[in-house]
Amino acid sequence: MVAAAMESKRLGLSQKNLFVVPNHLTEQWGAEFLQLYPGANILVATKKDFETKNRKRFCARIATSDIDAVIIGHSQFERIPLSIERQQRTIRSQIEELVQGITEEKARNGNKFTIKQLEKTKKSLLVRLEKLNDQSKKDQVINFEELGIDRLFVDEADGYKNLYLYTKMRNVAGIAQTEALKSSDMFMKCQYLDELTGGKGVVFATGTPVSNSMVELYTMQRYLQ
């Protein structure tokens, strides 16, 4: 991944690479990066950088520095939000999809349990939308879109397998009825980068892409296609 990032930059395919790695490995990643490319200009996030008082400054450094790569932990990545407008747009389209699904299920006298699950998911999405509408009161950190990142490398990507999926199919093992917020955040950021780069902005690495069910394989494809 390090070689791919540096070659992309050398060939002008990317300007600023972001590596999202397990929290406890950021410094090790930084050290190994510099072993391969001693002259690389990289920024490695520390715990301190993501304390509330330092987070804005760190994000501003990413946005304004001409660096080859940034290395941050999984949980830190989640704390750099996409713009509220983009998040709202995505959640609204998910709600529309659910409303359509509920209507179709009711029209064909579908499974009551399925309708109940869809209603429950719709409710949780409406709550998330409401929270986003209230976010204007929060400390305004730089948005993900403003960082200038145009290629994303995710290490241990299997940590993002719990992504909500709406389907009319029955009895498919492994479909998450609720989603981890870090997964939906990753999904939105992947979509943004794909828009930006024509589908060439995301690289996942994992030793266990599928551990329980084929749904995990489909989930990985949703991030990457």
Side-chain angles (χ1 to χ4, degrees):
M1 285 202 284
V2 169
M6 293 301 279
E7 279 300 288
S8 295
K9 175 125 190 189
R10 185 179 71 81
L11 295 166
L13 301 172
S14 69
Q15 296 307 310
K16 203 179 286 182
N17 301 292
L18 175 65
F19 287 81
V20 180
V21 309
N23 296 347
H24 63 288
L25 292 179
T26 49
E27 283 167 28
Q28 188 183 323
W29 256 89
E32 290 185 10
F33 202 115
L34 292 173
Q35 269 181 342
L36 278 168
Y37 290 90
N41 182 10
I42 64 172
L43 189 55
V44 182
T46 64
K47 244 185 195 162
K48 251 189 177 154
D49 289 321
F50 274 80
E51 286 171 6
T52 310
K53 61 181 188 293
N54 301 327
R55 198 164 73 203
K56 270 185 193 171
R57 190 166 65 232
F58 183 75
C59 288
R61 267 180 78 193
I62 298 174
T64 56
S65 311
D66 179 24
I67 40 183
D68 299 319
V70 185
I71 299 170
I72 65 175
H74 282 191
S75 61
Q76 295 166 332
F77 179 65
E78 208 183 329
R79 291 170 70 186
I80 306 175
L82 278 159
S83 64
I84 286 176
E85 299 73 37
R86 181 172 279 274
Q87 290 185 61
Q88 286 170 329
R89 208 162 59 235
T90 306
I91 292 172
R92 280 198 194 103
S93 76
Q94 286 177 338
I95 291 171
E96 278 169 27
E97 199 178 64
L98 284 165
V99 169
Q100 199 181 335
I102 291 165
T103 311
E104 284 173 17
E105 282 292 326
K106 283 180 176 170
R108 65 184 191 85
N109 285 327
N111 185 314
K112 280 195 171 65
F113 177 73
T114 304
I115 294 170
K116 220 175 189 173
Q117 287 297 114
L118 293 174
E119 294 278 10
K120 194 174 151 192
T121 308
K122 185 181 120 189
K123 205 172 182 178
S124 72
L125 284 174
L126 286 167
V127 169
R128 268 176 65 195
L129 198 56
E130 195 58 45
K131 274 186 189 161
L132 280 175
N133 296 338
D134 294 341
Q135 248 182 23
S136 46
K137 301 163 197 150
K138 277 194 174 176
D139 69 324
Q140 284 305 305
V141 75
I142 288 176
N143 293 333
F144 182 73
E145 295 99 311
E146 294 168 319
L147 298 180
I149 299 297
D150 55 0
R151 188 153 296 195
L152 173 67
F153 293 85
V154 184
D155 190 22
E156 300 296 346
D158 51 282
Y160 295 92
K161 281 194 288 209
N162 192 11
L163 182 66
Y164 172 73
L165 167 67
Y166 163 62
T167 174
K168 292 183 194 141
M169 290 172 75
R170 299 288 153 262
N171 305 323
V172 182
I175 289 180
Q177 294 300 334
T178 56
E179 72 179 335
L181 286 181
K182 69 170 192 173
S183 294
S184 57
D185 173 68
M186 173 64 80
F187 185 60
M188 283 191 237
K189 285 170 180 167
C190 286
Q191 287 186 311
Y192 162 69
L193 281 163
D194 276 345
E195 276 174 35
L196 194 68
T197 61
K200 295 185 177 73
V202 186
V203 176
F204 273 19
T206 166
T208 50
V210 184
S211 56
N212 294 311
S213 82
M214 290 300 283
V215 173
E216 289 168 11
L217 197 57
Y218 179 67
T219 299
M220 286 290 165
Q221 288 179 318
R222 282 182 77 205
Y223 284 116
L224 297 170
Q225 287 180 336

